[in-house]
Coordinates of all heavy atoms in Angstrom, one line a residue:
F217 N 88.9 77.0 120.1 CA 87.7 76.5 119.4 C 87.9 75.1 118.8 O 89.0 74.9 118.2 CB 87.3 77.4 118.3 CG 86.7 78.8 118.7 CD1 87.0 79.9 118.0 CD2 85.9 78.9 119.8 CE1 86.5 81.2 118.3 CE2 85.4 80.1 120.1 CZ 85.7 81.3 119.4
W218 N 86.9 74.3 118.9 CA 86.9 73.0 118.2 C 85.6 72.9 117.3 O 84.6 73.6 117.6 CB 86.8 71.9 119.2 CG 88.0 71.7 120.1 CD1 89.1 70.8 119.9 CD2 88.3 72.3 121.3 NE1 90.0 70.9 120.9 CE2 89.5 71.9 121.8 CE3 87.6 73.3 122.1 CZ2 90.1 72.3 123.0 CZ3 88.2 73.7 123.3 CH2 89.4 73.2 123.7
P219 N 85.6 72.1 116.3 CA 84.4 71.9 115.5 C 83.2 71.5 116.4 O 83.4 70.7 117.3 CB 84.7 70.8 114.5 CG 86.2 70.7 114.5 CD 86.7 71.2 115.8
V220 N 82.0 72.0 116.1 CA 80.9 71.7 117.0 C 80.6 70.2 117.0 O 80.1 69.7 118.0 CB 79.7 72.5 116.5 CG1 79.0 72.0 115.2 CG2 78.6 72.7 117.6
S223 N 81.9 68.4 120.1 CA 81.5 69.0 121.4 C 81.3 68.0 122.5 O 81.6 68.3 123.6 CB 80.3 69.9 121.2 OG 79.2 69.2 120.8
A246 N 81.5 77.0 125.9 CA 80.5 77.8 125.1 C 80.3 77.1 123.7 O 81.1 76.4 123.2 CB 81.1 79.2 124.9
F247 N 79.1 77.4 123.2 CA 78.8 77.2 121.8 C 78.8 78.5 121.1 O 78.1 79.5 121.6 CB 77.5 76.5 121.6 CG 77.5 75.0 121.9 CD1 76.7 74.5 123.0 CD2 78.3 74.1 121.2 CE1 76.8 73.2 123.3 CE2 78.4 72.8 121.6 CZ 77.6 72.3 122.6
H248 N 79.4 78.7 119.9 CA 79.4 79.9 119.2 C 79.5 79.7 117.7 O 79.8 78.6 117.3 CB 80.6 80.8 119.6 CG 80.4 81.7 120.8 ND1 79.6 82.8 120.7 CD2 80.8 81.6 122.0 CE1 79.5 83.4 121.9 NE2 80.3 82.7 122.7
T249 N 79.2 80.7 116.9 CA 79.5 80.7 115.5 C 80.7 81.7 115.4 O 80.5 82.8 115.9 CB 78.3 81.1 114.7 OG1 77.2 80.3 115.0 CG2 78.6 81.0 113.2
V250 N 81.7 81.3 114.7 CA 82.9 82.2 114.7 C 82.5 83.5 113.8 O 82.1 83.3 112.7 CB 84.1 81.5 114.0 CG1 85.3 82.4 113.9 CG2 84.5 80.2 114.8
I260 N 88.0 79.9 109.3 CA 86.9 79.4 110.2 C 85.8 80.4 110.4 O 84.9 80.2 111.2 CB 87.5 78.9 111.6 CG1 88.2 80.1 112.3 CG2 88.5 77.8 111.4 CD1 88.5 79.8 113.8
R263 N 82.0 79.4 111.1 CA 82.0 78.0 111.4 C 81.4 77.8 112.8 O 81.7 78.6 113.7 CB 83.4 77.5 111.4 CG 83.5 76.0 111.7 CD 84.3 75.3 110.6 NE 84.3 73.9 110.9 CZ 85.4 73.1 110.7 NH1 86.4 73.6 110.0 NH2 85.3 71.8 111.0
E264 N 80.5 76.9 113.0 CA 79.9 76.6 114.3 C 80.9 75.8 115.1 O 81.5 74.8 114.6 CB 78.6 75.8 114.1 CG 77.5 76.7 113.6 CD 76.2 76.0 113.5 OE1 76.1 74.7 113.6 OE2 75.2 76.7 113.3
V265 N 81.1 76.3 116.3 CA 82.2 75.7 117.1 C 81.7 75.5 118.6 O 80.8 76.2 119.0 CB 83.4 76.6 117.2 CG1 84.1 76.7 115.8 CG2 83.1 78.0 117.7
C266 N 82.4 74.6 119.3 CA 82.3 74.7 120.7 C 83.7 75.2 121.2 O 84.7 75.2 120.4 CB 82.1 73.3 121.3 SG 83.4 72.1 121.1
G267 N 83.7 75.7 122.4 CA 85.0 76.3 122.8 C 85.1 76.5 124.3 O 84.1 76.2 125.0
L294 N 90.7 74.0 116.3 CA 90.7 74.8 115.1 C 91.5 76.1 115.3 O 92.1 76.7 114.4 CB 89.3 75.2 114.7 CG 88.3 74.2 114.2 CD1 86.9 74.7 114.2 CD2 88.7 73.7 112.8
G342 N 73.7 72.4 120.6 CA 74.8 73.2 120.2 C 75.0 73.2 118.7 O 75.4 74.2 118.0
M345 N 72.1 75.7 116.6 CA 71.9 77.2 117.0 C 71.2 77.9 115.9 O 71.5 77.7 114.7 CB 73.3 77.8 117.2 CG 74.0 77.4 118.5 SD 75.5 78.2 118.8 CE 76.6 77.4 117.6

Side-chain angles (χ1 to χ4, degrees):
F217 289 145
W218 293 264
V220 76
S223 61
F247 287 115
H248 272 286
T249 304
V250 179
I260 61 166
R263 184 125 182 216
E264 289 184 346
V265 292
C266 69
L294 292 169
M345 288 182 287

